[in-house]
Amino acid sequence: MAYQSIATIVTKATDGAPHLEAAATLATRLNAHLDVVCVGIDRSRPDVLYSEMPQSLDVQGLKTARTEADTLADHAEQHLKGADARWETRTLVVQPSGLSQAASSATQLADLTVLPRPYGNTAEWECEAIAEAALFNGPNPVLFTNDGDSSQIGVGPVILGWNESAEALGAVRGALPFLKTASIVYITIVAPSVHSQERSDPGGGLARMLARHGVKVEVSILAQTLPRASDELLRHAREKGAGLIVVGAYSHSRLREAIFGGATRSLLTKSDIPLLMAH
């Protein structure tokens, strides 16, 4: 498989963010088509109050959102004008309650979705709504970028977090085009369970599967000396100079992660390395 179609979403909160540059760089390198969806959001009032607000305010809010979407499209087109990739932009106008559905529809036919990290000090609510819609409602993997250099994504070392879950296996399959071009893939297992089906050969089956795809692999077994497994994964990635971390997303429920914390939210908040996730 190869990534033939890459999608990304631009909103007011993410206008000009590095994820657009990363998406364009990947589309050029992979000879893929890039779809840039520019979303204007009617922020004039909460959806629950629509029936109580004057019609004139309703029209003005939609006009403002439409202008915002067109402006984002103009900025994206200027940014992509010199790119070698095949690309196109399109605009959407939505109310806040419709953003998740719009994001799902915009990304579901792509092979890869590229988005900014949805959590952290600078993230807006739009980023979180779009990211979770793409992860949970889309069949494709999602690549979360950061402010750093994206040129090593899928070229240098890759850290593959493995815990035998369906989500992790989905991420592996979704990341295959990157894994096949990486200099080496470290199958990384943090504190493997003694009750694991792979307890006699942790990561061995996955290593054999990837090797048959021509992936250069090495299994890393890590003891958990830091508070979270995700912290161990990040430390290992930095030590190896990785340009990408591949993990399954939300093996536990979003509610549980929101209340008690979890690897997915922790990585999306702390990682300074691009993350490829699938659910």
Side-chain angles (χ1 to χ4, degrees), residues 53-113:
M53 300 299 288
Q55 185 176 5
S56 59
L57 189 57
D58 179 22
V59 172
Q60 184 58 47
L62 289 174
K63 284 183 178 179
T64 300
R66 190 169 292 111
T67 299
E68 182 181 278
D70 291 339
T71 300
L72 290 172
D74 289 341
H75 288 173
E77 289 166 8
Q78 288 298 317
H79 184 84
L80 295 169
K81 188 174 291 184
D84 293 330
R86 294 168 288 126
W87 57 268
E88 63 181 279
T89 62
R90 60 190 177 97
T91 60
L92 289 176
V93 175
V94 300
Q95 298 163 4
S97 64
L99 182 58
S100 293
Q101 180 58 49
S104 299
S105 299
T107 60
Q108 65 182 354
L109 297 180
D111 299 313
L112 176 70
T113 298

Side-chain angles (χ1 to χ4, degrees), residues 2-267:
Y3 301 132
Q4 300 294 345
S5 179
I6 297 173
T8 192
I9 297 176
V10 180
T11 70
K12 181 178 180 181
T14 59
D15 180 21
H19 74 288
L20 179 59
E21 176 66 31
T25 299
L26 289 172
T28 300
R29 193 175 87 208
L30 301 172
N31 194 28
H33 189 281
L34 175 60
D35 292 303
V36 182
V37 182
C38 302
V39 181
I41 303 171
D42 181 358
R43 308 166 193 267
S44 60
R45 63 252 170 102
D47 293 326
V48 294
L49 299 179
Y50 267 28
S51 61
E52 303 174 15
M53 300 299 288
Q55 185 176 5
S56 59
L57 189 57
D58 179 22
V59 172
Q60 184 58 47
L62 289 174
K63 284 183 178 179
T64 300
R66 190 169 292 111
T67 299
E68 182 181 278
D70 291 339
T71 300
L72 290 172
D74 289 341
H75 288 173
E77 289 166 8
Q78 288 298 317
H79 184 84
L80 295 169
K81 188 174 291 184
D84 293 330
R86 294 168 288 126
W87 57 268
E88 63 181 279
T89 62
R90 60 190 177 97
T91 60
L92 289 176
V93 175
V94 300
Q95 298 163 4
S97 64
L99 182 58
S100 293
Q101 180 58 49
S104 299
S105 299
T107 60
Q108 65 182 354
L109 297 180
D111 299 313
L112 176 70
T113 298
V114 179
L115 296 173
R117 286 191 298 135
Y119 309 124
N121 295 333
T122 61
E124 301 285 346
W125 70 268
E126 295 97 325
C127 298
E128 183 173 347
I130 290 169
E132 295 199 349
L135 272 175
F136 285 95
N137 302 331
N140 52 4
V142 181
L143 174 66
F144 294 101
T145 64
N146 54 22
D147 295 339
D149 180 15
S150 61
S151 63
Q152 291 303 300
I153 296 175
V155 177
V158 171
I159 299 298
L160 197 168
W162 181 241
N163 62 0
E164 303 178 48
S165 68
E167 292 80 8
L169 183 56
V172 170
R173 296 191 185 281
L176 267 176
F178 287 135
L179 303 182
K180 292 168 74 170
T181 58
S183 59
I184 187 169
V185 174
Y186 294 96
I187 299 173
T188 305
I189 306 167
V190 179
S193 170
V194 295
H195 304 294
S196 165
Q197 294 183 1
E198 297 183 341
R199 57 187 177 275
S200 62
D201 185 19
L206 179 61
R208 288 188 291 274
M209 183 269 263
L210 290 176
R212 290 167 187 164
H213 282 277
V215 179
K216 183 179 179 181
V217 296
E218 182 176 311
V219 177
S220 298
I221 309 296
L222 306 181
Q224 186 170 338
T225 58
L226 296 174
R228 296 180 181 275
S230 56
D231 295 333
E232 294 288 355
L233 204 63
L234 267 177
R235 181 169 67 178
H236 188 56
R238 290 165 183 152
E239 288 174 352
K240 297 297 185 181
L244 179 66
I245 298 173
V246 176
V247 289
Y250 292 107
S251 298
H252 301 297
S253 72
R254 281 178 289 178
L255 178 60
R256 173 174 168 169
E257 290 222 5
I259 297 174
F260 300 108
T264 302
R265 185 172 287 267
S266 178
L267 282 171

